[in-house]
Amino acid sequence: EMEMEPVPRVGVVVFVLKGKSVLLGRRRSSIGASTFALPGGHLEFGESFEECGARELKEETGLEMGKAEYLTVTNNLFLDQPKPAHYVTIFLRAVLADPDQVAQNLEPSKCDGWGWYEWDKDKLPQPLFWPLHEMVISVGCSCKW
Ligand code: 8DG
Ligand code: MG
Ligand code: MG
């Protein structure tokens, strides 16, 4: 890879909800390794947020995204990394096209596996990926949103 000046990048991540549960996976990637995070990835040229969320969900878990909506955006600096990073992260909330479909770990080098966790601050797995943790604090751990 060519050495370039770092620039902010756009991440799109998805709260996939099934009843009261949310889909989380333990990261193996350099940023946030061994913390629990949402499925998601980098916005590609020309994509809508929804297209990106659906594509990343499919690539990482095999799941088909159903109806989705915009939730919030965060501005996250990862300056204490070997390769400093800056992400503007779009959070979507979605349901599954088919609630009976089972999540597969399709990128085992990036994730330890996917699981459904009750959306309750005392029941979420720890530690959460810190941008997700901050977001949970700001939005609140309520099923009402
Ligand atoms: P790609 O090559 O598939 O496009 O990328 P990826 O390997 O799937 O990227 P990622 O790290 O999973 O997501 C891109 C960035 O989004 C991540 O480095 C930082 C930001 N991000 C957050 N919160 C979350 C989150 O909860 N989950 C994920 N996956 N990324 C998040 O700010
Ligand atoms: Mg990805
Ligand atoms: Mg990802």
Side-chain angles (χ1 to χ4, degrees):
E1 226 178 76
M2 208 167 46
E3 270 311 306
M4 300 225 268
E5 284 297 313
V7 293
R9 301 184 75 187
V10 180
V12 177
V13 301
V14 191
F15 272 93
V16 183
L17 296 171
K18 189 158 76 169
K20 284 184 181 173
S21 298
V22 60
L23 185 68
L24 297 171
R26 208 152 79 136
R27 290 171 68 81
R28 297 182 61 99
S29 325
S30 53
I31 297 181
S34 83
T35 63
F36 288 86
L38 301 169
H42 300 92
L43 186 71
E44 291 182 358
F45 188 88
E47 271 184 333
S48 69
F49 299 151
E50 192 170 335
E51 285 166 346
C52 178
R55 176 183 53 74
E56 286 287 342
L57 181 67
K58 179 92 184 166
E59 287 173 0
E60 298 183 352
T61 71
L63 295 170
E64 297 284 346
M65 195 176 83
K67 197 167 149 32
E69 61 188 46
Y70 166 82
L71 192 58
T72 192
V73 62
T74 59
N75 188 37
N76 303 317
L77 301 176
F78 303 87
L79 299 179
D80 59 343
Q81 299 290 319
K83 248 185 150 185
H86 178 178
Y87 282 98
V88 173
T89 307
I90 313 295
F91 288 79
L92 303 181
R93 155 176 65 173
V95 292
L96 292 175
D98 169 10
D100 294 331
Q101 205 188 344
V102 173
Q104 300 164 261
N105 190 17
L106 297 182
E107 293 181 343
S109 64
K110 289 186 177 181
C111 179
D112 284 333
W114 298 102
W116 295 99
Y117 298 92
E118 195 173 331
W119 182 244
D120 176 316
K121 71 174 167 18
D122 301 322
K123 291 179 185 162
L124 288 171
Q126 298 294 333
L128 291 178
F129 187 30
W130 74 260
L132 178 61
H133 177 79
E134 305 265 298
M135 190 276 185
V136 166
I137 289 169
S138 72
V139 171
C141 209
S142 144
C143 286
K144 296 195 183 78
W145 51 262

